[in-house]
Structure formats: structure tokens, C-alpha cells
Amino acid sequence: MITASPHLRLSSPVPDWRALWRDAITDAGELLHAVGLGELADRLPPGDAGFALRVPRGFVARMRRNDRNDPLLLQVLPQLAELEEVPGFVIDAVGDMGSRAAQGVLHKYQGRALLVASGSCAINCRYCFRRHFPYGDEMAAAGQWRQALEHLRQDDSISELILSGGDPLALATGKLEELSRGLAELPHVTRLRIHSRLPVVLPERIDTALLAWLAELPLQKVMVLHANHANEIDAGVDAACAALREAGVTLLNQSVLLRGINDDAGTLAELSERLFAAGVLPYYLHQLDRVRGTAHFEVDDSGALALMDTLRARLPGYLVPKLVREVAGDASKRPL
Ligand SMILES: *Cc1c(COP(=O)(O)O)cnc(C)c1O
Ligand code: SF4
């Protein structure tokens, strides 16, 4: 006889995150129609400007209708501006190719190693370096984590493992469990950090199995979310964040400073306040990586610094993110 646990009986049916992932909008014309902007369909770049459109329907539902400047729409809609060649905007803007330590391992900074755990994302953000990164065989998960774990084993200066990507929560929970079994043999690794946009763009990913895995992990747990605008955070995201905190996860957020999306102090202040209401602290505000096809999103440094001054005058210190840029060869993110 099967006895349902009280938890199972109480919870309402949640759609499976994999089904929602597959159901994402991948056609720019369909996206425009969904937000009432069908008339813009003839101004799209051919072939999505070489980087496929992908956006979960739940994220589309948070976009304003009939607004071509909607800050969520602009993060995912292919634009003609992406086709412009702008000097200085290149393929490997952050020098990732030079810092590969083992399959899928980037070890640039003291004490922490980053695993490119998955090349997939539920959403394709137009400003992302990933539009050119040749992930191919670079995924640390591909070989049962063997090479990656071996690198960690050999360097006991590494106390924090960062799962990044792509989106590491694109992996099946079973794959993450496999990794944590390997980590259990490495006593010098005491913290696990996960960089994921999924709690924001597809909060259904934070399901019972993932939460159980996190709650039982004998490590300190940090999750760095990625939201750029307060409108990205709705009740579903609130619930996912609450459940993650319940599972013992410290929640931080990183954003990218994006022209036309969040480059004014009011918008950034509102984002910080909204994050904190969800139990998330702002961590980094990144200056855009100068990736080919993204120049139209760039905010110049003097503009960015002026924004930060206004933000500091408006918010408690703990709600002001650190404005940083990633510079190849540096020992950390570089503060501006
Ligand atoms: C950004 C990054 C980290 C994390 O840096 P923190 O300042 O600790 O957030 C670690 N490794 C690599 C390769 C990175 O790019
Ligand atoms: S979720 Fe992150 S890694 Fe994936 S496309 Fe967006 S910015 Fe890039």
C-alpha cells in the first residue's frame, strides 16, 4: 500500500518544470503577438541575429502589453542593432578561454573555483557572453564530474565551489546529487554557490526534489540569482525564494546594467527594494561584458558611477549593489 506523505497531500499540483522549459516561446513573431506588438514583426533581424530567441511563457506573462520598451521584452527580443559591428565588442570578452583548469572548470580567483556545469538556459538574454561561448564539450557534468572533482581534490585552497553555466539548475536534480556525493569526499570544500537565473525566469524549477537536496547538503549554501528589473519578480518568484531560504540557502542577486532597461536610479532602487522584499540581497551590478552584438546595451562608466551616487543617497547601504566589471587576468571582479 502506498501512503502519501502529509506534504504531498497538502501541496497543490505544480506543473513540471521540464515541460514548462520545453514550452518556452522560441519564435520572435509569436512573442511579439503575445505582447500585442505584432506590427513590429517586420523589423526583426534575420535568423534572430545568430542567437536563438528563448523565453519561458511565465516570464512573458510579466511583460507589459503593447509596450515596445518593456524592460523584460528588451532583454530577450532580437534587435537589428545586434548586427552592428562595434570596435571593442568581441567574442570572448572576459577571457574565459585562458583560465580553463580542467574540463568545465574556470579557476581565476583565490579560494573559489567555478564549474561550467551546464551550457543550457531556460531564457536567452540578448546581452549574454553565452551568445558566442563555444560550450560544446566544456560542461563539467558531462563526464560524471570526474575531471572537475579531480581538480578540486588536488587543490585544497579551494573552499568554495561555484556552479555556473549556462544555468546549472538546467541539470536534473539527480545530476546535482551525483556531484554532492563527490564533494562529500573533499573536506576542504565547505561552501556551494549556485549562479542561476531559473528561480526568477522559471521558479517552478525550485521543486520538492531540489529543495530536499539543498536542505540535506552538509555545506553552506549560497544562491546568486539574476534579475535586472523589479518587474521580473512576481508571486511565483517570491514563493521560490521563500522555499530556498527555508532550505537554508543564502540568497543574493546579480544584475547587469543595461541601457534602456535599468539604467536609472529609480529603477535600480525599486529593484533592490523588491529583491529585499523577496528575501534577497543585491550583490553585484555588472558593467556589461563587451560582447559582440551587445553594444546598444552599454552604459558608459561615468553614467554608471553617477547612478551609483544617486543610489547610495537613496538606499540603505545593504541595498546598494557593488558596481563591478570583469577584466581578464584580474584577481577579482574590478570595482568601478
Ligand atoms: C565571477 C567569478 C567568480 C565569483 O567571483 P565573486 O567575486 O566571488 O562573486 C569566480 N570565478 C570566476 C571564474 C568568475 O568569473
Ligand atoms: S540566464 Fe545567464 S547565462 Fe543564460 S543567457 Fe541569461 S545571462 Fe546568459
Side-chain angles (χ1 to χ4, degrees):
M1 191 182 102
I2 299 164
T3 41
S5 85
H7 292 294
L8 288 177
R9 235 178 290 143
L10 280 174
S11 61
S12 53
V14 180
D16 183 76
W17 66 274
R18 280 155 291 218
L20 295 168
W21 179 301
R22 283 191 300 271
D23 190 40
I25 292 183
T26 55
D27 180 80
E30 183 186 352
L31 172 61
L32 286 172
H33 280 286
V35 297
L37 292 170
E39 74 274 12
L40 297 184
D42 58 1
R43 290 176 36 195
L44 291 166
D48 287 347
F51 183 45
L53 168 94
R54 162 169 283 276
V55 56
R57 289 174 197 273
F59 194 80
V60 175
R62 296 171 230 164
M63 296 174 183
R64 292 186 294 249
R65 308 293 105 167
N66 309 312
D67 182 358
R68 64 180 64 192
N69 296 316
D70 177 80
L72 278 55
L73 178 68
L74 292 179
Q75 292 181 50
V76 299
L77 183 71
Q79 304 273 357
L80 287 167
E82 294 171 33
L83 301 174
E84 283 163 32
E85 284 281 345
V86 180
F89 284 76
V90 298
I91 305 262
D92 182 20
V94 292
D96 272 341
M97 301 307 152
S99 51
R100 179 184 184 277
Q103 185 182 28
V105 179
L106 300 176
H107 192 179
K108 288 200 223 179
Y109 303 154
Q110 173 70 40
R112 52 230 198 266
L114 183 147
L115 295 197
V116 179
S118 155
S120 310
C121 290
I123 188 168
N124 283 347
C125 311
R126 305 311 299 177
Y127 50 86
C128 183
F129 68 93
R130 192 172 149 270
R131 58 187 299 146
H132 308 295
F133 200 105
Y135 274 111
D137 57 356
E138 276 303 297
M139 261 71 76
Q144 261 57 43
W145 308 101
R146 204 170 30 77
Q147 279 200 35
L149 285 165
E150 194 46 38
H151 177 77
L152 298 178
R153 187 190 319 280
Q154 284 169 10
D155 187 345
D156 64 8
S157 74
I158 299 171
S159 57
E160 176 169 3
L161 175 63
I162 304 172
L163 301 185
S164 186
D167 200 309
L169 295 185
L171 296 174
T173 304
K175 202 79 194 166
L176 297 167
E177 287 164 350
E178 201 178 272
L179 172 69
S180 53
R181 281 195 292 276
L183 287 179
E185 290 160 29
L186 307 173
H188 56 279
V189 179
T190 55
R191 274 200 306 278
L192 181 69
R193 186 195 324 180
I194 299 175
H195 284 182
S196 176
R197 191 145 159 68
L198 273 165
V200 173
V201 302
L202 195 73
E204 293 84 355
R205 173 66 185 97
I206 312 306
D207 61 6
T208 324
L210 184 78
L211 291 165
W213 171 67
L214 286 167
E216 283 159 26
L217 263 188
L219 297 167
Q220 289 193 294
K221 292 152 288 204
V222 179
M223 198 175 287
V224 183
L225 312 183
H226 173 180
N228 302 310
H229 193 284
N231 292 3
E232 291 172 50
I233 304 166
D234 67 357
V237 178
D238 281 324
C241 290
L244 286 167
R245 292 196 307 143
E246 186 87 356
V249 183
T250 298
L251 295 177
L252 305 172
N253 181 69
Q254 52 185 345
S255 309
V256 181
L257 183 57
L258 297 165
R259 190 159 97 211
I261 293 175
N262 61 9
D263 61 333
D264 74 279
T267 301
L268 290 172
E270 201 186 332
L271 172 61
S272 281
E273 300 271 13
R274 187 64 187 86
L275 285 166
F276 192 66
V280 184
L281 281 171
Y283 180 40
Y284 282 143
L285 176 63
H286 292 272
Q287 264 300 37
L288 188 78
D289 295 328
R290 304 192 95 194
V291 171
R292 192 159 89 189
T294 68
H296 56 293
F297 285 125
E298 192 175 49
V299 178
D300 64 32
D301 284 359
S302 61
L305 288 166
L307 273 173
M308 292 306 295
D309 280 341
T310 314
L311 213 52
R312 269 187 292 273
R314 238 188 234 205
L315 290 172
Y318 60 88
L319 291 187
V320 180
K322 290 184 262 260
L323 178 67
V324 293
R325 155 172 295 126
E326 187 158 347
V327 180
D330 272 18
S332 71
K333 306 283 185 259
R334 182 181 292 185
L336 261 77

